[in-house]
Amino acid sequence: QVQLVESGGGLVQAGGSLKLSCATSGRTFSSYGMGWFRQAPGKEREFAASINRSGGSLYYSDSVKGRFTISRDNAKNTVYLQMNSLKPEDTAVYFCAARSRGYGSNWSNVNDFQYWGQGTQVTVSS
């Protein structure tokens, strides 16, 4: 099992940037596919970005493509989400998620990820 701890959230003006980090426990970080999801008040949790175990395949939702970049550092057991050109509609709690090899096949489905962090709040003011 892996524990996930997000950080880096905060309040930013529209057009600004934030970088989220998700630190993981354990020594097998490189064996997990990782994702970032977000949940706005009153809405369902939705996919933002995901990355495979090696970092060679990246996936983005249409709403963040071109503005957000997911990356991972397997030596530091950490996955990142660089968010640029932020919009008020990006306001949400952002969750880090992980899944082990063979668990699920869809990189954008909430149900295809096993482990979840507690989330970090991102607020974008207009």
Side-chain angles (χ1 to χ4, degrees):
Q1 188 164 344
V2 61
Q3 293 183 327
L4 312 174
V5 180
E6 302 96 334
S7 62
L11 173 64
V12 64
Q13 289 188 332
S17 298
L18 281 175
K19 186 173 184 177
L20 306 183
S21 299
C22 173
T24 69
S25 63
R27 295 172 290 181
T28 59
F29 175 71
S30 61
S31 68
Y32 292 94
M34 303 297 297
W36 286 98
F37 292 76
R38 64 188 186 181
Q39 188 166 15
K43 295 188 176 181
E44 293 186 352
R45 194 167 299 187
E46 67 173 17
F47 168 69
S50 57
I51 186 169
N52 72 345
R53 291 176 293 130
S54 68
S57 295
L58 312 178
Y59 308 89
Y60 297 97
S61 68
D62 288 342
S63 61
V64 309
K65 193 175 298 182
R67 299 186 299 122
F68 291 11
T69 302
I70 189 171
S71 62
R72 65 189 295 160
D73 186 336
N74 287 346
K76 295 183 178 180
N77 292 352
T78 302
V79 63
Y80 305 97
L81 186 67
Q82 176 67 48
M83 306 185 295
N84 298 329
S85 303
L86 283 161
K87 305 174 181 180
E89 50 263 44
D90 293 319
T91 295
V93 177
Y94 282 70
F95 296 91
C96 177
R99 72 178 191 207
S100 55
R101 183 177 183 179
Y103 186 97
S105 59
N106 189 316
W107 286 99
S108 62
N109 192 322
V110 168
N111 296 322
D112 280 33
F113 283 81
Q114 289 171 281
Y115 308 108
W116 294 85
Q118 293 300 307
T120 184
Q121 176 71 47
V122 171
T123 303
V124 184
S125 63
S126 57

